[in-house]
Amino acid sequence: MQIDDDILMALADGELAPDLADKVAHAVAGDPELQQRLERFTRTRDLLAGLAKAAPSPGIDPALVARIRAASAPAESAPTESTPAARIPTDSTPTDSAALQVAPDTTVTATPTPTPANLNRAPLAAIAAAFALAIVGFGWYGMNMDPTPAGPGATVSAALDSVSSGAGAQLDAGQELTIIASYRNGAGELCREYEIFGGDLIPELRVACHEGAAGWNTRFSLTTGAPGSAYQPASGEDEALDSFLSRSGAMAPMTLEEEAAALSALADGGGRG
Amino acid sequence: MDPAFGDALVRLLPNLKRFGLSLSRRGDIADDLVQITVEKAILNHAGFDGSSRLEPWLFRIMRNAWIDMIRRTRTQGQQVDVFEIPESLPTDSSAQIEARLMLQSVQEAMTTLPDEQREILHLVCIEDMSYAEAAEILGIPKGTVMSRLSRARLALSEKLGIK
């Protein structure tokens, strides 16, 4: 019987069907080499389990517990749309307030504890904005996924060629562009996710992929705000983007180093790497 | 929302925090991930299939939130340990001290593993997810879970000098 590492590990983890587990255990019992290999899997599991047991439970924000309790309380005692707006820190953007008021069920409800400090944190603002997108109803339109080439224009293309993720570029007529991330899709093409906004433009979240000699082609676009408004951070709440990324076989975002290498390969004339 | 769902969510907050720390290795980001996960869980609780365990559902939400976060921001800064191993006490026996040192080495070895390996070790060996649950959380086939996990276990045992 051929016993590989995966089978031994599954034995150590109790993941084998009982009859197979018996057979493997029997084989291991008579073979010191297998016992030694098995030991590496049982020991690593025990040690990691020990790590969790030895460490104190990580600190949990009491405001978060209160938030859950409020949301799961029986309906008659659940706080209705009451004070959340008043509790929002004064530096919140209108987007934040809109997001927090979307529905009684999702408000940051009045709790006896102080407003959580992390209401101000950027990622939270991002999800708040995402709720706003989903519910306040910035419409989406123009999900451009048909395969006919749609070049993003020369200035945008130049920015896509050179600007690194997290950085922005000024375009014509007060328009701006911010690169969010770069990745390769299932076809191995270099793709860049970016936001374009400013001027009289309707802010859009786009993905363009580089098609070698044909240059950049916009594969996805989604409006994220009203014309002329500032860019509204979208988020993974955008199921359209998520599903586009997964359908196109998008890999994990590149690191800045990987991205720099991929962009310099483009400049050298190769669209793929 | 069902109060039992709320109870389960509260009970799992430490697990979510640990997974958040394992993913991001930053306390502030782990807190944000927990908060985002809770908000999404509350918002989408109707989408949870009550016949399966809540943990994989929540871990998957958190992992997606994390991927979304790294897609947008390249957050790097002071990295923290996932587990704060208590300091040895003067009254500890040498066996206790040794055990603690071993835990510290495990902790350190974990931080040197690639993210992909650390993530799967955390889910299966620390959070006790089954292979099938880990496959569901990570969106990969069970066979991939097994090969990735066994590579991670061998890499960890190598680093710890387990022969």
Side-chain angles (χ1 to χ4, degrees), chain A residues 165 180-193 207-209 219 241-255 258-259 262 272-273, chain B residues 63-64 66-68 70-72 74 116 138-140 148:
Chain A
S165 288
I180 298 169
S182 301
Y183 62 89
R184 286 200 189 276
N185 64 14
E189 294 166 322
L190 174 64
C191 299
R192 311 201 76 192
E193 180 186 338
V207 175
C209 300
R219 298 281 175 81
L241 176 62
D242 280 352
S243 96
F244 166 77
L245 291 171
S246 79
R247 265 183 296 118
S248 62
M251 316 266 185
M254 295 178 173
T255 64
E258 287 164 354
E259 179 184 273
R272 291 155 191 255
Chain B
R63 187 167 181 276
N64 286 341
W66 168 241
I67 289 173
D68 186 49
I70 53 177
R71 226 175 235 299
R72 272 149 212 292
R74 247 162 263 280
E116 199 179 77
L138 301 173
I140 56 179
R148 192 180 290 177

Side-chain angles (χ1 to χ4, degrees), chain A residues 19-42:
Chain A
D19 52 336
L20 182 57
D22 284 347
K23 277 184 206 149
V24 176
H26 187 75
V28 169
D31 185 337
E33 194 245 321
L34 281 180
Q35 285 163 19
Q36 205 171 28
R37 276 165 57 200
L38 177 66
E39 169 85 0
R40 292 182 303 183
F41 294 109
T42 48

Side-chain angles (χ1 to χ4, degrees), chain A residues 39-55:
Chain A
E39 169 85 0
R40 292 182 303 183
F41 294 109
T42 48
R43 282 271 284 156
T44 44
R45 175 132 201 169
D46 290 350
L47 285 167
L48 288 170
L51 200 57
K53 277 195 210 91

Side-chain angles (χ1 to χ4, degrees), chain A residues 165-219:
Chain A
S165 288
Q170 298 284 337
L171 308 171
D172 307 327
Q175 297 175 358
E176 290 178 52
L177 168 153
T178 302
I179 306 267
I180 298 169
S182 301
Y183 62 89
R184 286 200 189 276
N185 64 14
E189 294 166 322
L190 174 64
C191 299
R192 311 201 76 192
E193 180 186 338
Y194 64 100
E195 260 116 2
I196 184 162
F197 55 97
D200 55 0
L201 203 65
I202 298 173
E204 277 187 28
L205 175 68
R206 291 184 187 165
V207 175
C209 300
H210 197 272
E211 299 181 341
W216 294 100
N217 181 15
T218 308
R219 298 281 175 81

Side-chain angles (χ1 to χ4, degrees), chain A residues 66-92:
Chain A
R67 160 86 184 99
I68 296 170
R69 295 289 180 217
S72 62
E76 58 275 14
S77 64
T80 51
E81 45 181 329
S82 49
T83 56
R87 299 181 140 273
I88 293 164
T90 48
D91 60 349
S92 288

Side-chain angles (χ1 to χ4, degrees), chain B residues 104-123:
Chain B
Q104 260 161 21
S105 337
V106 176
Q107 165 90 290
E108 282 164 22
M110 279 286 271
T111 64
T112 62
L113 291 175
D115 293 350
E116 199 179 77
Q117 294 189 352
R118 192 170 66 243
E119 175 180 68
I120 202 155
L121 285 171
H122 189 98
L123 288 172

